[in-house]
Amino acid sequence: MLNQEYPKFEKGSFEGIEISLSEPNVKINLRGKKKEFFTKIGKILSIILPIEPNTSSSNQQYNTLWLSPDEWLVYFNGEDRQLFNNLFNEISKLNFGSVVDVSNQWICINIKGNKTFDLLSSGSPFNYESFKKTKNSVTQTLLNHTDVIIHHKEINEINLFVRRSFSEDLWLWIKDSARFI
Amino acid sequence: MFLINCPYCGERDQSEFSCGGEAHIIRPKQPTELSDDQWAEYLFMRKNIKGVQFERWNHAHGCRKWFNMVRDTKNDKIHAVYKMGEKPPVE
Ligand SMILES: [Zn+2]
């Protein structure tokens, strides 16, 4: 039986770094290449999916992240599954692409502060030099040997997605490392 | 440690990738007509060149796409990176 409860992470505040659990969030994985796929997404989300690698696009409600040439992650605050149902019925059911609810698969952790990227660099092979200067950039990489998706939402503020089963371990690592940055 | 230029995401550290072995191996059209030796040749036998080798790689901790690479195994110098289905560059 899937554990529907989110892990209980207490906020942490360190010099130049603040970390908190950013849940509940609805997260939807989208895959597709067909023309109809893009038209339907545009209509339902009122957003154009980012085609350029390592970027994202957002409107008032939704954030869409580029994951690969035919794969995106959509996320937004709340627990409203209506959007998922719309997308599923309009795209998956008609075979224009695939729509999967991954809300319970990923945990979103918010990290902010002027030392955010020092913290990330301390456990990641990714080069954050240009990433940290570009708002709305996205990357998938490793952090402390764990797969993560990083969305650079505002300057010095990121939303980090980690698989649920790895989230506690990574959270402890982040808390530990933040003390020494 | 070396850097690999993923054809989709750009330059990333090698630790984000996994190697999928020799590239451009063609599956026999009629496996049932092959002898055991011929089948084993296709299935198991791989070149292990000290020098320039054609390989498949996967950006496992990034975009998760497969691509091809021409790599010199002597010094890890990467001569070319190209997408699946594209023709290998002529040396
Ligand atoms: Zn990639």
Side-chain angles (χ1 to χ4, degrees):
Chain A
M1 188 54 189
L2 182 71
N3 179 8
Q4 297 277 350
E5 270 180 40
Y6 289 104
K8 300 205 169 27
F9 297 151
E10 276 177 30
K11 269 189 183 176
S13 202
F14 306 88
E15 211 195 304
I17 298 170
E18 273 180 55
I19 51 173
S20 59
L21 181 72
S22 176
E23 292 293 352
N25 268 324
V26 173
K27 310 160 197 93
I28 301 167
N29 183 283
L30 299 173
R31 299 198 72 157
K33 284 178 187 164
K34 291 183 183 164
K35 210 180 94 207
E36 293 91 336
F37 171 81
F38 292 101
T39 351
K40 294 268 183 187
I41 301 276
K43 254 191 205 154
I44 298 170
L45 297 178
S46 320
I47 221 168
I48 296 168
L49 288 176
I51 306 290
E52 200 187 321
N54 311 314
T55 60
S56 67
S57 56
S58 307
N59 60 16
Q60 298 281 356
Q61 268 180 301
Y62 310 124
N63 305 285
T64 55
L65 317 185
W66 182 95
L67 297 183
S68 97
D70 55 1
E71 186 177 4
W72 292 265
L73 180 76
V74 180
Y75 77 95
F76 58 95
N77 275 126
E79 290 181 285
D80 185 10
R81 293 294 202 270
Q82 189 53 45
L83 179 80
F84 170 75
N85 292 335
N86 284 351
L87 289 168
F88 185 81
N89 290 331
E90 294 285 324
I91 295 166
S92 265
K93 275 206 174 158
L94 304 175
N95 270 336
F96 292 143
S98 110
V99 178
V100 182
D101 187 346
V102 289
S103 304
N104 293 311
Q105 189 181 332
W106 296 92
I107 295 289
C108 180
I109 294 171
N110 181 275
I111 308 177
K112 59 184 169 192
N114 55 12
K115 288 191 175 170
T116 300
F117 292 101
D118 297 327
L119 172 80
L120 296 177
S121 305
S122 74
S124 175
F126 184 73
N127 183 354
Y128 290 97
E129 267 322 296
S130 69
F131 185 88
K132 67 181 176 191
K133 293 178 197 134
T134 332
K135 223 174 94 171
N136 289 325
S137 45
V138 171
T139 188
Q140 297 172 90
T141 185
L142 292 165
L143 185 59
N144 190 35
H145 312 287
T146 308
D147 280 294
V148 289
I149 303 171
I150 298 171
H151 179 207
H152 189 196
K153 213 173 155 32
E154 299 291 335
I155 292 296
N156 284 335
E157 176 172 0
I158 58 141
N159 279 331
L160 179 144
F161 296 87
V162 54
R163 289 200 176 82
R164 172 185 284 263
S165 51
F166 289 87
S167 61
E168 198 174 340
D169 177 72
L170 193 68
W171 176 266
L172 292 175
W173 178 85
I174 292 171
K175 256 172 70 173
D176 249 3
S177 307
R179 287 163 46 211
F180 300 108
I181 296 298
Chain B
M1 190 178 111
F2 61 100
L3 295 172
I4 294 171
N5 196 9
C6 170
Y8 304 98
C9 311
E11 207 164 67
R12 298 294 187 94
D13 186 72
Q14 171 234 337
S15 58
E16 291 187 10
F17 298 83
S18 62
C19 182
E22 195 182 329
H24 308 301
I25 291 172
I26 298 159
R27 192 175 203 274
K29 285 224 163 62
Q30 296 291 345
T32 45
E33 286 172 12
L34 297 183
S35 69
D36 285 356
D37 280 355
Q38 284 169 316
W39 181 244
E41 182 70 28
Y42 154 73
L43 208 54
F44 303 116
M45 296 308 176
R46 297 292 180 264
K47 287 176 198 150
N48 189 13
I49 304 164
K50 184 183 175 188
V52 176
Q53 192 159 265
F54 292 77
E55 296 169 333
R56 297 178 306 170
W57 282 74
N58 180 242
H59 193 185
H61 304 288
C63 62
R64 295 179 302 286
K65 287 278 172 197
W66 284 91
F67 58 91
N68 296 308
M69 193 197 288
V70 187
R71 181 174 69 101
D72 193 327
T73 57
K74 286 203 302 282
N75 49 19
D76 277 338
K77 188 171 186 288
I78 297 165
H79 292 281
V81 167
Y82 52 104
K83 292 178 184 173
M84 281 292 164
E86 287 180 0
K87 284 229 165 70
V90 200
E91 283 296 300

